[in-house]
Amino acid sequence: MERPSHLIDTHEVVGASAAEVRPIPVTRTFLPDLAAYTELMRGVWERGWLTNHGPLVKDLENRLREYLNAPDLFVLNNGTVALQIGIKALDLRDEVIVTPFSYVATVSSAVWENCTPVFADIDPVHLTIDPKAVERAITPRTTGILATHVFGVPCATEELQDIADRHGLRILYDGAHVFGVRYLGKPITAYGDVTTLSFHATKLFHTIEGGAVIARNAELGHKLSYMRNFGHNGPEAFQGIGINGKMSEAHAAMGHLVLDSMDHIARSRKISWEAYRDALGDITALELLHVREGTDYNHAYFPVVFDTEARLLKVREALRAEHIEPRRYFYPSLDTLPYVVSEACAVSRSIAQRVLCLPLFADMHPELVPRIAGIVRAGL
Ligand SMILES: *Cc1c(COP(=O)(O)O)cnc(C)c1O
């Protein structure tokens, strides 16, 4: 397929000027065949049914329930509304124990829902919330735990459930990175009370904008389902308070086509992820991701943790000089947000200063990973 020159990737041409090349971003959205998308949209035009639980949304919801083995899954318009609905459905209020190492939405949604975030530091190996720190952070005002399966690595789910059971707490997992992961023989979404997903265009599976909530049981699932639809229970009755969390047919159409290609996407990302690991695994100044034992991983991200921030900045400059744009995921540590009060989370702050996510997406040019790895190695 011919592309205009400004869309030519840097690895495809030698000696091209900056104006002619498209930078390599940290992630590139998987785009299905445009004709197939148009065909699905033709059906939307014919039906004149654009939103409010249309057939594409309902079908996608059913396909995702099956694909993820999650019977009480409900699709939503984004992953942040998913968190807000999860917080409301679990009646989280007052103090909620949160991870400082995540995307800002994890913590901002809790604050938005009038919870007081109490930060528990992370485990330096897996980068997920440290159960011992969670236990120390519990007070008589604690109502729940909000933790992220960061970079697709499961939290210490067994230990967290044990703590929650002993203290009568609910667990909400931010599963924005964890699409398709299985842990200890079960879908990752089977752990905790509610798990949220994000289907944003930067994520492994996407619907342009979108998300989902998954409940551990049908009763909680029912609560999630009316909460996403203004609290409606039939056209003229209300079950309780709700919000507009509905996905549209245009977003669901994208979801269907991306889901059709999911096996290809997963395979392609795995190849690039393993190529990075093989190319960078021997460098002592770099720590690679430690996927928790017992995980069927989804190759969602390729973060590298440098021994010093100075080295990170040096390597980032070297990559930028070659039109490669890694991202500082996640920086800054969320315990430094201007609207929270927290004791310093030393581990999270230290990791946040030294972590960089390298470009990873489906259908990367085969020469790209060795090229990026070479720049990283030379730039150390
Ligand atoms: C992307 C992301 C979100 C937000 O999801 P949106 O769909 O963009 O609202 C929340 N938490 C984490 C960890 C994320 O990476």
Side-chain angles (χ1 to χ4, degrees):
M1 190 167 57
E2 278 297 314
R3 280 178 289 163
S5 66
H6 68 281
L7 292 182
I8 290 172
D9 286 338
T10 56
H11 56 272
E12 290 169 356
V13 279
V14 179
S17 76
E20 291 171 325
V21 295
R22 176 166 70 155
I24 305 289
V26 68
T27 188
R28 181 167 289 163
T29 300
F30 179 85
L31 286 172
D33 180 38
L34 181 57
Y37 187 75
T38 311
E39 201 41 46
L40 285 181
M41 291 310 288
R42 189 186 308 283
V44 175
W45 254 244
E46 282 164 9
R47 286 186 292 276
W49 189 353
L50 282 88
T51 189
N52 288 0
H53 320 292
L56 290 176
V57 167
K58 281 200 186 121
D59 285 352
L60 181 64
E61 196 161 76
N62 285 327
R63 285 184 72 188
L64 287 170
R65 284 171 180 167
E66 194 161 321
Y67 188 87
L68 298 174
N69 193 4
D72 293 292
L73 174 150
F74 300 89
V75 296
L76 299 172
N77 47 10
N78 64 65
T80 304
V81 161
L83 284 165
Q84 290 175 219
I85 289 177
I87 289 165
K88 274 274 197 284
L90 293 174
D91 198 22
L92 300 187
R93 65 205 134 69
D94 212 347
E95 290 183 3
V96 175
I97 297 174
V98 295
T99 178
F101 191 67
S102 184
Y103 183 58
V104 68
T106 314
V107 169
S108 62
S109 56
V111 177
W112 193 269
E113 294 300 336
N114 287 320
C115 300
T116 304
V118 176
F119 291 88
D121 210 343
I122 56 169
D123 150 15
V125 176
H126 300 105
L127 314 181
T128 50
I129 203 165
D130 179 356
K132 288 194 285 301
V134 170
E135 189 118 41
R136 283 196 297 274
I138 294 172
T139 76
R141 296 173 55 193
T142 308
T143 60
I145 301 164
L146 169 47
T148 302
H149 301 301
V150 73
F151 300 136
V153 175
C155 290
T157 52
E158 317 269 276
E159 283 167 84
L160 291 175
Q161 192 59 58
D162 179 57
I163 292 168
D165 290 344
R166 279 191 281 111
H167 294 272
L169 306 177
R170 314 305 294 269
I171 302 181
L172 174 59
Y173 282 121
D174 182 337
H177 302 170
V178 88
F179 188 88
V181 167
R182 293 176 62 82
Y183 181 51
L184 302 177
K186 287 198 280 189
I188 186 66
T189 53
Y191 297 92
D193 294 293
V194 170
T195 300
T196 65
L197 301 176
S198 166
F199 304 152
H200 184 256
T202 53
K203 306 286 154 82
L204 192 77
F205 164 79
H206 81 95
T207 59
I208 310 173
E209 292 272 3
V213 275
I214 295 152
R216 86 178 326 170
N217 61 45
E219 193 188 335
L220 199 46
H222 177 64
K223 205 167 171 186
L224 298 172
S225 78
Y226 75 73
M227 280 189 162
R228 77 163 161 188
N229 189 29
F230 304 102
H232 270 292
N233 186 11
E236 292 172 5
F238 292 94
Q239 178 97 18
I241 192 165
I243 196 169
N244 180 359
K246 289 178 277 110
M247 181 183 274
S248 84
E249 290 289 275
H251 294 85
M254 178 63 87
H256 277 286
L257 298 174
V258 177
L259 197 55
D260 289 343
S261 291
M262 223 34 230
D263 290 348
H264 164 76
I265 293 170
R267 254 196 318 275
S268 174
R269 296 180 74 106
K270 181 169 192 275
I271 290 168
S272 297
W273 195 94
E274 290 179 350
Y276 270 131
R277 185 199 54 197
D278 295 347
L280 296 172
D282 65 317
I283 301 176
T284 48
L286 284 185
E287 197 73 50
L288 306 187
L289 189 64
H290 295 274
V291 177
R292 199 180 290 279
E293 213 176 304
T295 306
D296 293 328
Y297 187 54
N298 64 0
H299 309 97
Y301 294 88
F302 199 89
V304 292
V305 181
F306 293 83
D307 56 351
T308 65
E309 185 180 22
R311 237 196 261 275
L312 176 151
L313 295 173
K314 201 161 152 263
V315 167
R316 185 174 65 162
E317 273 323 294
L319 289 166
R320 280 183 170 168
E322 302 283 335
H323 313 291
I324 293 159
E325 286 294 335
R327 278 290 298 272
R328 296 187 79 175
Y329 284 152
F330 290 98
Y331 179 84
S333 181
L334 299 176
D335 59 308
T336 66
L337 284 172
Y339 49 83
V340 302
V341 180
S342 174
E343 281 177 40
C345 294
V347 179
S348 176
R349 288 187 186 190
S350 168
I351 298 283
Q353 275 174 346
R354 295 182 289 119
V355 65
L356 198 63
C357 277
L358 300 181
L360 181 67
F361 40 89
D363 302 320
M364 285 177 85
H365 191 285
E367 283 164 28
L368 193 51
V369 170
R371 185 159 156 252
I372 293 171
I375 299 167
V376 170
R377 190 181 284 274
L380 283 168

